[in-house]
Amino acid sequence: MTTTWESRHVHPLEPALSVRQVLTLERVQAGEPEVVAGAAQLDRPVRWVHVAEAADVGVMLRGGEMVLTTGVLLAGDEAKQAEYIQSLHRAEAAAVVLGLGRAFPAPPEVMRRAAERCGLPLVVLHRPFPFAELTEEVQSRLVRRKFAAVSLSETVRTALTGLITAGAPLGTLLDEVARHSGCPVVVTNLAHRVLATAGERPAVDDVLRDWERIARQAGGSEGDGWIRAELGGRGERWGRLLLCGYRGDTASGRLLADRAAEALVLHRMLGGSAHSWEEQSAQGLLTDLASGVVPARQLLPRARAAGLPVNRRTFVPLVVPGGEPARLDRVLRVLGMSGLVAELADGATAVLLSLPRDQQAQELTAHFAARLRAETGLPHAVVAAADPRADWDEVPAGLREARHVADAVADSSAALDLPPVVRLRDVHLRRLVRLLRDHPQVQSFAERELDGLLCGADQELLGVLRTYLATGRNKSRTAQLHHVSRPALYRRLEAIQTRLGVDLDDFEQAASVHIALLAHDAQQG
């Protein structure tokens, strides 16, 4: 970060008044102050007020002081007047206030020119003014502000530490920071991708809609309420926390941001979640999209800020049953595809591909699925896919469709020898049964048809029946998948038919048992 005058002289624990704020105080206004030089520097913070008549006062300063003087020892000596201003500039004083009177009935031109060249605010008081009143007023305000800052620091630290101790998630910590700051809070990685946000939703959405510009600003100097704190430890940075549009004084904002950053680093070090912040961010976005509770259009700024390309793109919603997010993310990187990956509540993993419109979405989806099978070493790994969506508003329906497909083929891909990519048109009866699985009459039908095999001791026979029906009553394939001989399989099939009281060679009876088994599996799942 570029070192500025302010960053060298204002410690976060010492919130200061600016020169401009001091000049607006009622007691100061009674002295009819006039800024005659350095007007562009009036936002410098005032660390202290110092009354001094000595010509060499600069050697007694630490920087940030507002120096009050009548100039009685400078009258009549222009060289001393110029050197006086130079010494204050070298000492990096905040400003100099000259009380007009017998020593200087009017602003001294030499001092004015020297202050203008140095950029040092020079203020003259046209009416007699007791310096003690100004000193008392400013010092008391600074002490009160310092106490308030320390109190805020301890309040925030205590609240965040309590949340971390209670195992609160990242979002809860950020909500607490937003409550104290009164502005949107954003956490990003070093690539400026948004990992988490907090604050009033409309204000956060406004920030995310303009995130591209804000992300550039986040890497530069602070200003206008944009305050950041680096996240990292052991000499390594891995993210940032931003207060977006903080309305309090900058020093208090920095204090708050620093305390929040300390808490977030501690939260990450203690492993507050089994998932990384990047995974949590993607999970929250994809879960909100799939649920449909939040309109897709409102989620678009979040997707863009998370690094997902959204302009003139084709979106392909996928769900991988039992997929590992880290492995799927690695497949995306290897293939050079853009997308979000997140584990859903049911153990499946959603992938939202974002592809250029001039590329063949179905071919790339097949390529992704083939690469997944190669990565996992599982020849029956299945990717449930919805049809490509050209409109972002259609993505939620696509994610729900992909979940239906994944749900319909759960635990049966090996028996069915399904292709790497399965779509809605491929699941046929299974989808209907899955949709009706909670209907009481369907539940009764399944229990009635399978009554002879539902006790715990018959799970092996139930598994043989499941494979036999899923393979289209292929005895050779069933024996191979269960690692038994053909005669052993025949004995098991005879036992199944006896217990159920059916003839599995009869198409209608076999179909009835198959539907009942699909319903039973759907209910269990």
Side-chain angles (χ1 to χ4, degrees):
M1 186 195 315
T2 302
T3 302
T4 63
W5 193 97
E6 289 83 352
S7 65
R8 288 197 302 271
H9 294 287
V10 183
H11 190 278
L13 290 179
E14 298 178 351
L17 294 165
S18 68
V19 175
R20 189 187 308 277
Q21 289 173 316
V22 171
L23 297 182
T24 60
L25 297 178
E26 185 176 352
R27 291 188 180 182
V28 180
Q29 286 292 308
E32 297 182 6
E34 177 189 0
V35 179
V36 296
Q41 302 296 323
L42 293 181
D43 290 319
R44 284 181 171 183
V46 176
R47 189 183 57 81
W48 207 242
V49 177
H50 190 69
V51 180
E53 298 293 351
D56 59 349
V57 64
V59 300
M60 296 181 283
L61 304 181
R62 289 198 298 123
E65 294 90 350
M66 174 179 277
V67 177
L68 311 180
T69 183
T70 62
V72 66
L73 300 180
L74 303 175
D77 191 331
E78 293 186 349
K80 280 187 178 181
Q81 295 170 22
E83 176 55 29
Y84 181 79
I85 295 295
Q86 288 292 337
S87 68
L88 294 180
H89 172 63
R90 288 192 296 268
E92 296 180 329
V96 58
V97 178
L98 175 65
L100 299 181
R102 285 180 296 175
F104 291 102
E109 187 62 21
V110 172
M111 293 180 68
R112 190 196 67 77
R113 287 198 304 268
E116 193 65 49
R117 285 194 302 269
C118 296
L120 176 69
L122 172 61
V123 182
V124 296
L125 300 175
H126 288 279
R127 293 176 61 86
F129 184 87
F131 284 167
E133 290 187 10
L134 174 56
T135 302
E136 179 185 4
E137 175 80 8
V138 174
Q139 313 303 45
S140 63
R141 286 176 179 264
L142 289 174
V143 169
R144 287 199 303 271
R145 289 161 73 90
K146 182 175 181 179
F147 177 79
V150 173
S151 176
L152 171 66
S153 171
E154 289 307 309
T155 299
V156 172
R157 178 186 281 120
T158 300
L160 295 180
T161 301
L163 290 173
I164 293 172
T165 303
L170 172 65
T172 303
L173 267 67
L174 294 182
D175 287 340
E176 184 71 12
V177 176
R179 187 175 71 83
H180 285 284
S181 67
C183 68
V185 180
V186 177
V187 174
T188 75
N189 61 15
L190 294 181
H192 305 303
R193 292 190 174 184
V194 174
L195 306 180
T197 61
E200 295 184 4
R201 195 72 253 167
V204 172
D205 288 343
D206 286 343
V207 169
L208 295 184
R209 270 191 287 270
D210 199 22
W211 183 248
E212 187 173 334
R213 179 189 64 80
I214 292 171
R216 290 195 299 269
Q217 178 177 319
S221 59
E222 299 173 339
D224 298 327
W226 299 94
I227 299 171
R228 71 177 181 277
E230 302 296 334
L231 303 176
R234 299 176 182 174
E236 181 181 2
R237 291 188 302 114
W238 37 260
R240 291 188 180 88
L241 177 139
L242 256 70
L243 304 184
C244 304
Y246 181 70
R247 292 192 177 92
D249 65 86
T250 302
S252 295
R254 288 199 189 107
L255 171 66
L256 179 57
D258 287 344
R259 293 295 170 265
E262 291 171 5
L264 296 191
V265 170
L266 179 61
H267 180 272
R268 184 164 172 133
M269 289 174 58
L270 294 178
S273 172
H275 303 290
S276 72
W277 291 355
E278 288 82 357
E279 291 172 341
Q280 292 180 58
S281 173
Q283 185 179 55
L285 176 58
L286 291 182
T287 299
D288 286 347
L289 273 170
S291 70
V293 174
V294 182
R297 187 58 47 182
Q298 292 184 20
L299 296 173
L300 188 59
R302 280 175 59 187
R304 184 183 290 111
L308 185 73
V310 295
N311 295 329
R312 298 187 58 78
R313 308 289 287 193
T314 297
F315 303 100
V316 184
L318 310 174
V319 173
V320 182
E324 299 177 12
R327 179 168 281 166
L328 295 173
D329 194 54
R330 184 166 60 252
V331 171
L332 282 180
R333 291 198 304 271
V334 169
L335 298 177
M337 292 182 178
S338 297
L340 294 177
V341 180
E343 185 176 353
L344 302 177
D346 55 7
T349 299
V351 181
L352 180 59
L353 299 180
S354 174
L355 307 173
R357 288 191 177 175
D358 59 355
Q359 295 185 0
Q360 296 297 318
Q362 294 196 356
E363 291 181 10
L364 289 175
T365 303
H367 192 31
F368 174 85
R371 182 72 191 191
L372 176 62
R373 285 190 170 186
E375 279 276 331
T376 59
L378 300 175
H380 302 293
V382 167
V383 173
D387 290 332
R389 262 60 178 178
D391 190 332
W392 173 260
D393 289 336
E394 297 176 0
V395 169
L399 282 169
R400 290 192 290 272
E401 179 181 317
R403 291 187 70 172
H404 280 313
V405 175
D407 195 27
V409 301
D411 303 322
S412 61
S413 58
L416 290 174
D417 282 332
L418 292 169
V421 180
V422 181
R423 292 184 169 82
L424 196 58
R425 59 180 174 271
D426 300 319
V427 296
H428 307 297
L429 178 62
R430 290 175 176 273
R431 176 173 180 265
L432 177 62
V433 172
R434 289 275 171 169
L435 293 175
L436 298 176
R437 63 186 173 185
D438 294 326
H439 196 287
Q441 292 185 1
V442 174
Q443 294 173 356
S444 298
F445 168 75
E447 291 177 3
R448 184 172 61 251
E449 288 289 301
L450 301 174
D451 183 55
L453 292 178
L454 293 181
C455 66
D458 294 322
Q459 289 305 303
E460 181 185 358
L461 292 180
L462 199 63
V464 171
L465 176 62
R466 183 182 294 111
T467 303
Y468 180 62
L469 295 174
T471 58
R473 295 182 292 175
N474 186 321
K475 294 183 176 66
S476 297
R477 179 63 173 154
T478 302
Q480 178 186 10
L481 289 171
H482 283 271
H483 308 290
V484 298
S485 64
R486 290 283 292 269
L489 175 66
Y490 294 156
R491 288 193 294 271
R492 286 172 171 77
L493 291 176
E494 288 175 4
I496 290 170
Q497 292 180 104
T498 299
R499 296 195 182 192
L500 296 183
V502 298
D503 178 6
L504 294 179
D505 290 329
D506 181 86
F507 175 79
E508 185 174 341
Q509 293 183 55
S512 180
V513 172
H514 193 187
I515 293 171
L517 187 57
L518 290 176
H520 170 75
D521 288 346
Q523 292 158 11
Q524 296 301 308

